[in-house]
């Protein structure tokens, strides 16, 4: 019985090792294009900045009852996206936001190739200003670090490039 357990463990370890190698290779390739959230530099937080974890449970009268936090921003974006015919789901947005910024609307990458060109990636979905301006959705703030505007513009870009934000599973 010990030999069977040891054989299963060895097979599982081999499987995990192969998966880890493939994942590491894919991650390295993605980092070459744009860093994941764990590697993205964050802007300094001030007493006035709003983060994904601050103000949880509070609502902003201007948000239609949605909380002024990550969940609320995603829901607001989804409502705008639906009205504008931009595809995407809560799960797709949340997955990409957590990878790109860990839910910090003030995240800014100051070290990748875009930053070196003077156009750092910003916000929840790490959008550069030219992309934000090209895919900005009317009715949202004209600020790439506004959470709802950032999500909606990034989803609009992803829809045009990949069919939907749901189809994005790495840096885009």
């Amino acid at each position: 019985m010990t030999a069977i357990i040891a054989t299963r463990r060895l097979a599982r370890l081999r499987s995990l090792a192969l998966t880890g190698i493939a994942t590491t290779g894919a991650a390295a390739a993605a980092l070459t294009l744009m860093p994941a959230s764990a590697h993205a530099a964050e802007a300094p937080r001030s007493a006035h900045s709003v983060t994904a974890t601050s103000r949880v449970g509070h609502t902003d009268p201007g948000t239609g009852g949605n909380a002024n936090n990550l969940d609320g921003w995603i829901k607001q974006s989804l409502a705008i996206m639906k009205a504008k015919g931009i595809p995407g789901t809560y799960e797709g947005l949340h997955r990409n936001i957590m990878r790109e910024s860990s839910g910090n609307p003030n995240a800014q990458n100051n070290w990748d190739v875009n930053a070196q060109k003077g156009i750092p990636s910003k916000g929840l979905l790490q959008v550069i200003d030219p992309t934000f301006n090209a895919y900005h959705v009317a009715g949202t703030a004209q600020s790439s670090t506004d959470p709802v505007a950032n999500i909606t513009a990034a989803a609009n870009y992803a829809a045009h490039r990949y069919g939907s934000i749901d189809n994005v599973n790495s840096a885009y």
Side-chain angles (χ1 to χ4, degrees):
M1 185 157 160
T2 305
I4 293 172
I5 292 172
T7 302
R8 286 184 184 159
R9 284 185 181 165
L10 184 57
R12 179 75 177 137
L13 285 172
R14 285 183 183 144
S15 173
L16 289 172
L18 289 175
T19 301
I21 290 168
T23 302
T24 302
L31 285 174
T32 302
L33 300 174
M34 185 179 293
S37 62
H39 303 285
E42 294 185 2
R45 295 180 185 187
S46 69
H48 300 291
S49 66
V50 178
T51 66
T53 55
S54 68
R55 302 190 64 191
V56 172
H58 295 81
T59 57
D60 182 343
T63 65
N66 288 321
N68 191 18
N69 59 33
L70 184 57
D71 180 63
W73 299 325
I74 292 173
K75 288 177 180 176
Q76 289 175 64
S77 294
L78 284 168
I80 295 166
M81 290 163 58
K82 183 177 180 180
K84 303 287 184 173
I86 302 168
T89 64
Y90 184 99
E91 293 76 19
L93 290 169
H94 190 269
R95 179 185 70 244
N96 282 287
I97 289 168
M98 295 312 292
R99 183 190 63 253
E100 294 294 335
S101 68
S102 299
N104 177 4
N106 299 311
Q108 181 169 314
N109 181 316
N110 291 315
W111 64 271
D112 73 355
V113 67
N114 291 317
Q116 291 171 8
K117 293 178 183 176
I119 49 171
S121 306
K122 301 175 189 174
L124 290 168
L125 282 165
Q126 292 295 283
V127 179
I128 60 173
D129 286 339
T131 302
F132 177 82
N133 293 332
Y135 292 93
H136 175 257
V137 176
T140 64
Q142 191 64 46
S143 168
S144 63
T145 56
D146 176 84
V148 174
N150 185 279
I151 293 170
T152 311
N156 191 24
Y157 166 75
H160 282 86
R161 178 139 185 175
Y162 305 103
S164 171
I165 191 74
D166 296 340
N167 298 331
V168 178
N169 294 306
S170 65
Y172 60 108

